[in-house]
């Protein structure tokens, strides 16, 4: 059974804190993605990575950074958390094997910044 | 205008009804079309996957793609309360690995 695992289901952080969200996949996928999901706005891509140590900005990268030191792990970093970063964060992975391939998601991390 | 448009709903129907969920898109390069289902407080999971035009059936679910109209549909027959979820459409072209997402339609099946 394929698996994408996010380190936390629920997280509460204070404004200004540095926040790390971790994601691990066991499918040997090349591509990994971080999205945030807000009511009425759907899934918005923050960053993605198509290889180790490679990263590309998505649609809303401001206030975020990422790290991919190993193929199976993709971390999202909130440099200085703000209340407008309260959201559901979803990690996903997909294979290079063919374009247009489906993405597999983790269970999500609901982050609240107070 | 968004590349992919999807009515957010909610769409509320009685148990046993046929449900029709739809997305329209503007990019004629899209070739891969997917429907994901997302239960409350969970990540999305792939439900149906279609390449190019045509229909695909899987049990009570049928996915249709009409590339001439840039319109895709998901039909659910004999809907059950367990089908209550948010349904997201996603699509991509031949030359990229990113999926372009609709906003999701919240579906409620009333017992």
């Amino acid at each position: 059974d394929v698996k994408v695992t996010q380190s936390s289901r629920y997280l509460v952080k204070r404004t200004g804190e540095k926040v790390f969200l971790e994601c691990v996949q066991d499918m040997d996928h090349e591509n990994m993605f971080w999205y945030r999901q807000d009511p009425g706005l759907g899934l918005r891509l923050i960053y993605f990575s198509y290889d180790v140590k490679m990263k590309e900005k998505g649609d809303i990268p401001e206030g975020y950074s990422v790290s991919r030191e190993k193929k199976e792990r993709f971390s999202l970093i909130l440099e200085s958390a703000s209340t407008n970063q309260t959201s559901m964060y979803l990690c996903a992975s997909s294979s290079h094997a063919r374009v247009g391939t489906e993405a597999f998601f983790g269970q999500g991390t609901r982050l609240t910044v107070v | 205008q968004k590349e992919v448009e999807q009515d957010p709903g909610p769409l509320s129907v009685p148990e046993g009804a046929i449900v029709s969920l739809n997305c329209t898109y503007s990019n004629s390069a899209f070739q891969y079309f997917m429907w994901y289902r997302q239960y409350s407080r969970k990540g999305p999971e792939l439900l149906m996957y279609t390449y190019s035009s045509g229909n695909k059936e899987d049990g009570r679910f049928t996915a249709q793609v009409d590339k001439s109209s840039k319109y895709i549909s998901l039909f659910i027959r004999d809907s059950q309360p367990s089908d209550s979820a948010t349904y997201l459409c996603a699509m991509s072209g031949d030359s990229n690995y990113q999926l372009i997402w609709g906003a999701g339609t919240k579906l409620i099946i009333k017992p």
Side-chain angles (χ1 to χ4, degrees):
Chain A
D1 197 20
V2 297
K3 206 132 191 203
V4 178
T5 304
Q6 294 181 229
S7 53
S8 304
R9 289 294 305 275
Y10 300 94
L11 217 48
V12 180
K13 295 292 182 181
R14 294 194 181 278
T15 301
E17 275 193 79
K18 192 168 186 175
V19 181
F20 294 86
L21 303 183
E22 306 284 344
C23 175
V24 177
Q25 50 96 1
D26 65 0
M27 294 166 279
D28 201 34
H29 282 168
E30 294 82 3
N31 306 322
M32 295 189 75
F33 307 84
W34 275 107
Y35 293 91
R36 64 177 282 177
Q37 186 176 33
D38 301 287
L41 297 178
L43 287 169
R44 292 184 291 168
L45 182 64
I46 304 171
Y47 268 96
F48 69 99
S49 168
Y50 53 87
D51 203 350
V52 176
K53 296 193 186 295
M54 306 301 288
K55 60 184 178 184
E56 294 284 342
K57 292 181 180 178
D59 300 318
I60 51 163
E62 296 78 20
Y64 303 94
S65 63
V66 290
S67 172
R68 190 150 181 220
E69 296 296 319
K70 293 185 178 181
K71 189 177 186 180
E72 67 270 19
R73 188 178 296 269
F74 192 34
S75 302
L76 179 69
I77 302 149
L78 285 66
E79 298 291 343
S80 177
S82 64
T83 54
N84 64 12
Q85 291 178 310
T86 291
S87 186
M88 171 75 129
Y89 289 87
L90 289 160
C91 174
S93 72
S94 69
S95 173
H96 260 180
R98 53 194 172 98
V99 294
T101 188
E102 63 268 32
F104 295 88
F105 283 84
Q107 75 276 30
T109 296
R110 185 162 294 278
L111 173 67
T112 302
V113 182
V114 297
Chain B
Q1 185 191 4
K2 291 182 180 179
E3 273 193 288
V4 179
E5 299 277 1
Q6 184 177 10
D7 187 335
L11 176 63
S12 183
V13 301
E15 182 177 354
I18 296 175
V19 175
S20 173
L21 303 168
N22 311 293
C23 289
T24 59
Y25 63 96
S26 56
N27 190 341
S28 57
F30 287 153
Q31 294 275 36
Y32 302 88
F33 303 93
M34 298 161 214
W35 286 96
Y36 282 76
R37 178 175 60 196
Q38 184 179 22
Y39 291 115
S40 182
R41 300 186 188 88
K42 297 284 180 71
E45 55 180 352
L46 182 68
L47 191 60
M48 299 285 284
Y49 180 101
T50 311
Y51 173 72
S52 195
S53 283
N55 294 359
K56 186 172 185 178
E57 190 172 319
D58 184 1
R60 296 184 295 111
F61 298 89
T62 300
Q64 281 187 355
V65 175
D66 181 349
K67 292 189 71 181
S68 62
S69 302
K70 297 191 182 70
Y71 190 87
I72 69 170
S73 301
L74 177 70
F75 297 97
I76 308 174
R77 289 185 300 281
D78 188 24
S79 56
Q80 304 294 312
S82 58
D83 296 327
S84 297
T86 296
Y87 291 79
L88 300 106
C89 63
M91 46 198 81
S92 71
D94 272 333
S95 58
N96 61 67
Y97 302 109
Q98 287 187 59
L99 293 173
I100 309 301
W101 294 86
T105 299
K106 184 173 183 176
L107 175 65
I108 301 167
I109 308 296
K110 298 176 292 185

